[in-house]
Amino acid sequence: MEMKTKTHKTIVIKLGSSSLTNEKRELNVANLQRIVKEILPWLKKKSFVIVSSGAIVSGSAKLGLKTKPKTIPEKQAAAAVGQTLLMKEYEKAFGKEDVTVAQVLLTRDAIADRERYLNARNTFLTLLKLGVIPIVNENDTVSIDEIKVGDNDTLAALVASLIGADLLINLTDIDGFYMDSEEGVSYLVDKIETITEEVENAARHPGTELGTGGMITKLQAAKIAQDAGVAMIIASGKKPGVITNILEGKQEGTFFVPKAAEVESRKRWLAHGLTTKGTISIDPGAASALKKGGSLLAVGVIGNKGSYQAGDLVSITNEIGREIGRGLINFTNHEMEKIMGKKSSVISSLLGYETTHEVIHRDNLVLIN
Ligand code: GLU
């Protein structure tokens, strides 16, 4: 299959720990150099951002820890050590061709806050304009759970969405996404248009559990990418020529087809940048009204969970609990308790004050999948 990847201009490459470290948990410098060598010839035509894992694993080896660190302080210490090892090697490998690299360490709060999101976006775009390769990782050393993205598959998809990339190449220790045929034979899937429940179930396939975040986080990342209009490929990080092949338009791994090419930046941010504070379930009538571009009204709300304020981001699920959208809600969870299922005309009298009747305005709402 000939792929459109030839025409892609802005590319995010995610390198998993398995592509960058060896069985002794040390940096696999040879593989890092090979990957960089495959990127170099394209730099005149395309821009690249690398999202690189491997800090915690390589840092732990350097510190002489016997096993992969388990406690948070150990992981954070290892990340601080490993991150400089990684940057040193990227600097050396790209420096051979006088290409400058930049270290960008992110946490979720840099993406969740709209102002900081736009600021991060400007930084990335400026670096790319200057011909610099941003090397991104989570700021593991200072990240606590509340502000963490948590895995680099998701981080890479958020970065791809943030900068409006065309393609995210997710390089891992398996050559793509596998499913089972009706006869129970595993096969590599070439192309996935929609991440259905069948695909989600296949992510739990034991053959695809090798990567750091496993296939489940890769599928979550693929959803973020697809919704943001970014194509994503899962392919092997150990296979020589993998990047060259992809950029020449040859089939490699599994291709996740992006949705509508142009998604408004604010809506992309709404969909995946923030953490949700609650969940609103809605009936099929409301779901189809949203699909037609309508706002969410109280009458269609059948469930309400979480503790949130007006203006917070909530998840919208259908009647069987599948997330179908996200949006900034106009009411608190207590107010929602009183008005869910009720007609718009009675909302003000139920609450005892004049208020908007839209639960979530269509401008503040984004549908996912
Ligand atoms: N940020 C982690 C590291 O550099 C990797 C997390 C991941 O691969 O998902 O070690």
Side-chain angles (χ1 to χ4, degrees):
M1 181 175 77
E2 174 87 2
M3 298 199 287
K4 278 212 211 104
T5 42
K6 252 178 166 169
T7 57
H8 288 154
K9 287 267 179 300
T10 309
I11 294 155
V12 176
I13 300 183
K14 186 256 170 176
L15 300 172
S17 298
S18 59
S19 308
L20 293 171
T21 54
N22 61 24
E23 53 297 333
K24 287 195 228 138
R25 288 182 284 127
E26 294 156 343
L27 275 188
N28 183 343
V29 178
N31 205 39
L32 183 147
Q33 286 173 346
R34 186 214 22 107
I35 289 166
V36 170
K37 222 168 157 183
E38 287 189 34
I39 296 173
L40 285 169
W42 298 94
L43 287 178
K44 284 209 179 69
K45 289 197 196 131
K46 300 176 193 285
S47 300
F48 292 86
V49 172
I50 295 179
V51 175
S52 175
S53 302
I56 296 176
V57 177
S58 65
S60 73
K62 177 84 175 178
L63 288 170
L65 304 179
K66 295 242 154 42
T67 55
K68 247 174 110 170
K70 287 187 188 70
T71 65
I72 291 171
E74 254 181 12
K75 279 189 192 165
Q76 295 189 314
V81 173
Q83 187 61 29
T84 68
L85 298 175
L86 274 170
M87 286 314 295
K88 198 168 78 194
E89 293 306 334
Y90 282 115
E91 201 156 48
K92 254 207 263 177
F94 279 107
K96 281 187 189 149
E97 298 280 335
D98 285 330
V99 176
T100 306
V101 297
Q103 170 177 268
V104 182
L105 298 178
L106 293 173
T107 44
R108 186 177 274 279
D109 55 347
I111 296 166
D113 178 87
R114 179 77 182 150
E115 210 170 301
R116 294 186 64 191
Y117 176 91
L118 292 174
N119 185 47
R121 181 179 150 83
N122 282 337
T123 309
F124 273 109
L125 298 182
T126 306
L127 286 168
L128 294 180
K129 211 157 85 195
L130 293 169
V132 174
I133 312 254
I135 315 272
V136 184
N137 199 354
E138 176 127 45
N139 195 353
D140 293 308
T141 299
V142 298
S143 287
I144 47 165
D145 277 353
E146 288 70 22
I147 59 163
K148 244 190 171 156
V149 174
D151 68 87
N152 277 6
D153 294 318
T154 309
L155 181 68
L158 290 173
V159 167
S161 165
L162 176 84
I163 63 170
D166 304 299
L167 173 67
L168 164 58
I169 304 176
N170 188 321
L171 294 181
T172 181
D173 51 5
I174 187 157
D175 55 355
F177 189 82
Y178 280 81
M179 288 181 78
D180 283 341
S181 70
E182 274 171 27
E183 296 77 39
V185 183
S186 288
Y187 66 97
L188 177 71
V189 187
D190 282 355
K191 188 165 126 182
I192 295 180
E193 300 254 3
T194 310
I195 298 169
T196 57
E197 270 177 72
E198 194 194 350
V199 173
E200 275 170 5
N201 291 337
R204 292 177 191 93
H205 190 288
T208 57
E209 279 296 337
L210 299 168
T212 319
M215 273 299 160
I216 293 170
T217 61
K218 287 187 179 48
L219 281 191
Q220 280 160 3
K223 271 193 199 167
I224 297 175
Q226 287 185 316
D227 288 338
V230 181
M232 178 172 132
I233 294 175
I234 297 177
S236 165
K238 291 270 176 68
K239 184 177 169 188
V242 68
I243 293 176
T244 313
N245 286 345
I246 290 173
L247 298 182
E248 283 178 350
K250 293 185 189 130
Q251 170 74 35
E252 280 288 351
T254 305
F255 184 83
F256 292 82
V257 182
K259 296 219 182 120
E262 285 302 320
V263 184
E264 202 192 312
S265 147
R266 185 161 177 282
K267 293 226 167 175
R268 270 188 269 147
W269 168 75
L270 269 183
H272 301 291
L274 294 160
T275 324
T276 54
K277 296 276 169 55
T279 304
I280 296 290
S281 16
I282 63 172
D283 64 20
S288 80
L290 298 191
K291 279 199 194 112
K292 287 186 198 128
S295 296
L296 178 63
L297 303 179
V299 69
V301 177
I302 52 176
N304 169 40
K305 268 193 259 156
S307 166
Y308 50 84
Q309 299 300 315
D312 279 346
L313 185 77
V314 296
S315 169
I316 304 166
T317 62
N318 65 11
E319 74 283 11
I320 57 161
R322 196 179 163 87
E323 185 173 50
I324 56 167
R326 289 182 174 195
L328 301 176
I329 194 155
N330 286 332
F331 297 98
T332 67
N333 57 306
H334 300 298
E335 289 169 330
M336 273 314 296
E337 276 308 311
K338 292 187 192 151
I339 65 170
M340 59 187 263
K342 299 292 192 308
K343 288 214 177 85
S344 299
S345 54
V346 300
I347 288 180
S348 291
S349 64
L350 277 173
L351 294 177
Y353 40 83
E354 271 315 305
T355 176
T356 169
H357 64 267
E358 280 130 353
V359 169
I360 301 176
H361 190 273
R362 61 169 174 271
D363 290 348
N364 293 327
L365 182 148
V366 60
L367 294 178
I368 38 192
N369 278 314

